[in-house]
Amino acid sequence: MPKLDQRLIAVTHRIRSGVHADIGSDHGLLLASLLGSGRIDYGIAIDNKQQPFENSRKTLAGLAAEVRLGDGLAALNTGEADSLSICGMGAENMRSILQRYPDRVPAEVVLQPNSRAELIRQWAWSAGFWLVDEQVVRTTGKYAVLSFRRSPVGSSQDDPAYDDVDRACGFEFGPWLVKARDADLLADLLEEKSYWSQFGQLTTRGQQRLALISATIDGLDASHCERAKK
Ligand SMILES: C[S@@+](CC[C@H](N)C(=O)[O-])C[C@H]1O[C@@H](n2cnc3c(N)ncnc32)[C@H](O)[C@@H]1O
């Protein structure tokens, strides 16, 4: 079994499926591990650069997998995979991959953006995917691992993850983490609040961020969050 870092181990725990596609596969270790542990039956590795493509081919040789050189979902047909992961990329790139071919995004998606997880939560909200689980893996950095499921066919219901939590706070910090009053999250918020509070004057973004942090710490005061959005 290939050795994965804590970040990718957390991703593997959220995947169990028939055919799984991994975009930005690079070293190919995620699919190799999923196949080795029997969590998936077949893997499709996709990377848009030659050397990572070759790395994936080498790692996955002889396994129930194929490796494709291509740009995101351009290399995957609609309905071909049951689930999808994209890990270790910036959120903007990830979001643009998902938005370019919305019909090709499978029903189960695990995303691990390297930063700005709020952009991914916002994408899911507009694309009709529900956030079913989230965690932050704390190693050399802090990595959000977000699991989504396409909302039920015909459902006009909003994502229930955001029930009982202000949406702006939920997008920013994670609705499940906020509702759970996650201890690490609260420690981060207190630290960041004290950072922003030392400045006399803040940019608009700084003011919004501080307002969202304060609202979350103050017990998810919804009206406070609404003011912060304006
Ligand atoms: C930093 S590596 C992450 C590798 C692995 N997913 C991980 O988390 O350890 C990002 C990989 O995504 C690939 N990549 C970036 N944009 C892509 C796109 N639009 N389509 C396919 N692969 C892409 C890069 O070539 C690179 O191999």
Side-chain angles (χ1 to χ4, degrees), residues 19-31:
V19 178
H20 180 81
D22 183 44
I23 294 182
S25 55
D26 194 359
H27 40 69
L29 292 174
L30 180 70
L31 285 182

Side-chain angles (χ1 to χ4, degrees), residues 59-132:
T59 304
L60 295 166
L63 299 178
E66 62 192 274
V67 184
R68 300 177 184 173
L69 181 61
D71 183 1
L73 289 163
L76 190 74
N77 294 318
T78 306
E80 212 183 353
D82 305 303
S83 56
L84 173 83
S85 52
I86 314 179
C87 306
M89 276 184 210
E92 287 93 343
N93 190 20
M94 209 173 259
R95 184 179 56 179
S96 115
I97 289 171
L98 294 160
Q99 284 176 334
R100 238 175 294 153
Y101 295 94
D103 298 343
R104 300 187 186 186
V105 181
E108 306 276 341
V109 183
V110 180
L111 301 172
Q112 180 272 296
N114 281 346
S115 59
R116 302 213 58 195
E118 74 277 9
L119 297 182
I120 299 303
R121 296 191 190 95
Q122 284 162 353
W123 160 80
W125 177 271
S126 351
F129 279 81
W130 288 1
L131 179 64
V132 291

Side-chain angles (χ1 to χ4, degrees), residues 15-75:
I15 298 167
R16 191 179 284 280
S17 122
V19 178
H20 180 81
D22 183 44
I23 294 182
S25 55
D26 194 359
H27 40 69
L29 292 174
L30 180 70
L31 285 182
S33 171
L34 289 167
L35 287 163
S37 60
R39 297 186 79 88
I40 62 169
D41 300 328
Y42 193 79
I44 301 173
I46 297 169
D47 208 290
N48 67 350
K49 292 182 196 68
Q50 192 67 37
Q51 189 55 53
F53 165 73
E54 299 295 346
N55 296 342
S56 290
R57 279 229 294 210
K58 201 167 158 200
T59 304
L60 295 166
L63 299 178
E66 62 192 274
V67 184
R68 300 177 184 173
L69 181 61
D71 183 1
L73 289 163

Side-chain angles (χ1 to χ4, degrees), residues 2 32 43 48 116 119 179 186 201 204 222:
N48 67 350
R116 302 213 58 195
L119 297 182
K179 284 195 276 194
L186 285 175
Q201 276 199 317
T204 307

